[in-house]
Amino acid sequence: MRVKKVILKEFKRFDNLTINLGDNPAKIIVLVGPNGCGKSSIFDAFEEKEKDFRNHGQEDMQFYSKSFFYLDETLKKDVYDKNESIKIFTSNETNNFSRKSFYIRTAYRFTSKFDIKELKPLPSVFNTNDDPISLITLDKRLESNYKRLLGVAYSDFFEGSKTGIQVKEELIGSINNILKDILDIKISNLGNILANKGQLYFEKGNTKDFPYANLSSGEKEVVDIILDLLLKTNDYNDTVFCIDEPELHLNTAIQRKLLINIEKLIPDNCQLWIATHSIGFLRAVQTELYNKSQILDFSEKDYFTGINIIEPMRTTRFNWQRIFKTALEDLVGLLSPERIIYCEGKDRPGEHGIEKGFDAKVFNLIFSETYPETLFISSGGNTELDKRSDIAISILSKVFVDLEILVLKDRDMASGKITDIENRRRYLETNPKNHRLLERWEIENYLFDKEVLIKYCSQEGLIFNKFEYDTYITDINNQNVKDSIGKIKNICGITHNINEERFKLELAKVISSDMNVYAELKRCIF
């Protein structure tokens, strides 16, 4: 099961909020934003829905209903109807829920130590009373998870043909296979209740069998979450998993590894919602989990007041910078791209460092969403481009070891002289491997492509003159169309005044990853 849409009315601090994830919601939904922006309240809504199928726990009505707290006395209500306040729509179309629909971990997770003295039969995971009743309740399921782990070991031993050693090694091995990708510790022993050792024991470096209580806070956090998911995902197999701030006590590198392994544990037909400020989690979503994630950015504006709709963030470089700023504050300026591509255009920046080069503006518009780690920079004409990129490579490569620097040129690089496909091939063969050359004459040959103009006209409600275009544009790859802006406007039926550069930048905005023009540019550059 995956959530597609959530509507909250007078719930917590929201007046009227709609979360719309579209018809094909991603497996991972990331809620980002500063403290107090409402991220955890979304999980409270899921928790409220889950209470229809759970036989314990309830916060006071005023905990959930905004209608108790309006400044305007005429708007205040003393009645809370959660079915009116919370509406959740899912991918199963029936919008039917069950006890396994939601599994929620609060941000208040901390079991500093435990020592189990006896082992008794436990109810099923759906009938326990150890899950929190709201997102402000302490989540202390580690003790019961440890008992379940021992129960699995005993059952496998008594009901099967394996020896005790085989059972322990297989059970411990399944956990350690995950832990080794995240931490430098592993479980060495399940403990022994009869010997007053009712806790997990670990190995690290040259130390063996030190107790769970001796782990750091971050190590305990990872063990808690991984063990919980390992034991629960077999039963919660059609579920929306929610973890509030899973990065607690963890450094950035561990955060990234933890999210990657959490995603592996959760079945693909399920969904994972996380509320986070974590740099490490955001980096995992930006890279390894890019195609499996949607980001809801609560930092963009005030979503509490009035009627609001929040949809997944477009993953452009500008938007990434905004959400990283929430986590990094003033350090956001240190966030560097993984790839810089020097191209032709005005080398002088505008006020506040704004890019003034036309080609760089176009390429950043086209590729900022699918290649958010790439930044196009204008660096003068053809000869300046070579010189300045060489200087950048020699200097920046010493500072940023993993930074890739490319040089991108138009095919009109020979000062207007004919540079055919064969000349292009020779140029690429005889120049450094970081050099790139467009297949078409220059950037306008892509912007004025029929595919682009037809899409632009469709979006703007204009009529595209196909006959006039085909008559005038006889070779879109090689024809000099840069000076034909007036003709192109006429073909598009544009009768009003529009700045030439503005018009071409609007054309760049309509180029998307499903278009042939995009595929050709991607092939040339990347």
Side-chain angles (χ1 to χ4, degrees), residues 80-129:
Y80 164 60
D81 183 346
K82 76 175 182 180
N83 292 322
E84 286 298 316
S85 294
I86 305 168
K87 296 185 185 299
I88 302 173
F89 304 88
T90 68
S91 56
N92 62 20
E93 301 300 337
T94 63
N95 298 316
N96 292 328
F97 298 95
S98 69
R99 182 65 177 88
K100 67 166 65 175
S101 294
F102 296 97
Y103 190 78
I104 301 172
R105 298 296 308 263
T106 79
Y108 300 94
R109 307 177 301 273
F110 193 71
T111 304
S112 59
K113 63 180 180 178
F114 64 92
D115 187 10
I116 305 302
K117 301 296 184 182
E118 61 179 351
L119 192 63
K120 297 179 179 179
L122 295 174
S124 77
V125 294
F126 300 122
N127 295 317
T128 61
N129 292 330

Side-chain angles (χ1 to χ4, degrees), residues 13 50 63 91 101 104 114 145 149 153 183 204 221 247 271 295 311 456 486 492:
R13 292 169 61 194
E50 179 68 6
F63 179 74
S91 56
S101 294
I104 301 172
F114 64 92
N145 282 335
L149 186 66
L183 301 169
K204 182 176 182 177
E221 180 77 12
E247 70 269 19
Q271 198 174 43
I295 299 172
E311 296 180 329
Y456 171 79
C492 291

